[in-house]
Amino acid sequence: MSDRNVPSKLEIAEQALVAVNAEVFASGVLGTAPGIAGILTVIGTGALARFKSKGEQHVTSIAEQVGVDRFQEVMEHDPEREALFINSLQVAMLTADDRKRIYLARVVAQAFTDKAVVDDAILITEALRQLDGPHIRALARIVAASAGCTGGRS
């Protein structure tokens, strides 16, 4: 925020996106329509705060990597990359793995600066949506077992 405590456009957008995503996620979990924030306050204030915090960290990380002006430009003028960002925000808010969030922010930031990698970024974001800690550990065991069977050659 500025010295006058007036939020920037990015801060306003970040707060709105994170709040909407957290509430929509919560409504999906509890099987009700958005507007469930009152119930969440009673049973899940901590969870909602963690979702918002993860979302804010994701937005901030991308904006720091690409610059606030570039972030705003992409969000205002490129629907494909805007959709990529919204998808990545949801993934970032849902994972417990900090490394996954860091990598996801790097992938999105790269797509915000290089249009040629947008398709790859979309695929990676979808893969990361499906893969979490147990899946990644299982894949690592497969790679290790495979390396053992081939004498280290892949």
Side-chain angles (χ1 to χ4, degrees), residues 9-150:
K9 286 182 186 178
L10 180 62
E11 290 169 324
I12 292 168
E14 172 184 302
Q15 291 168 3
L17 283 168
V18 169
V20 167
N21 272 291
E23 188 167 321
V24 169
F25 167 73
S27 69
V29 168
L30 297 177
T32 62
I36 198 71
I39 294 172
L40 281 177
T41 300
V42 174
I43 62 170
T45 303
L48 187 56
R50 285 188 298 279
F51 290 133
K52 286 182 177 184
S53 176
K54 291 175 190 178
E56 289 166 357
Q57 290 170 5
H58 185 65
V59 172
T60 300
S61 179
I62 295 168
E64 287 174 350
Q65 291 177 64
V66 303
V68 172
D69 292 339
R70 179 67 181 154
F71 188 94
Q72 289 176 332
E73 178 185 331
V74 168
M75 292 299 290
E76 291 173 10
H77 301 292
D78 191 329
E80 184 177 39
R81 289 190 276 186
E82 178 187 37
L84 167 65
F85 166 73
I86 297 297
N87 192 20
S88 75
L89 179 62
Q90 292 170 343
V91 174
M93 291 171 70
L94 293 174
T95 187
D97 189 333
D98 289 337
R99 295 167 300 172
K100 182 174 169 178
R101 270 193 301 282
I102 291 167
Y103 179 59
L104 186 60
R106 274 194 233 138
V107 167
V108 174
Q110 181 66 32
F112 272 34
T113 58
D114 184 356
K115 184 82 169 160
V117 300
V118 171
D119 288 347
D120 288 344
I122 291 169
L123 292 171
I124 291 168
T125 300
E126 274 307 309
L128 289 174
R129 176 183 295 280
Q130 301 301 321
L131 299 173
D132 230 327
H135 309 101
I136 294 167
R137 287 187 292 276
L139 290 170
R141 286 193 298 272
I142 291 169
V143 168
S146 177
C149 290
T150 61

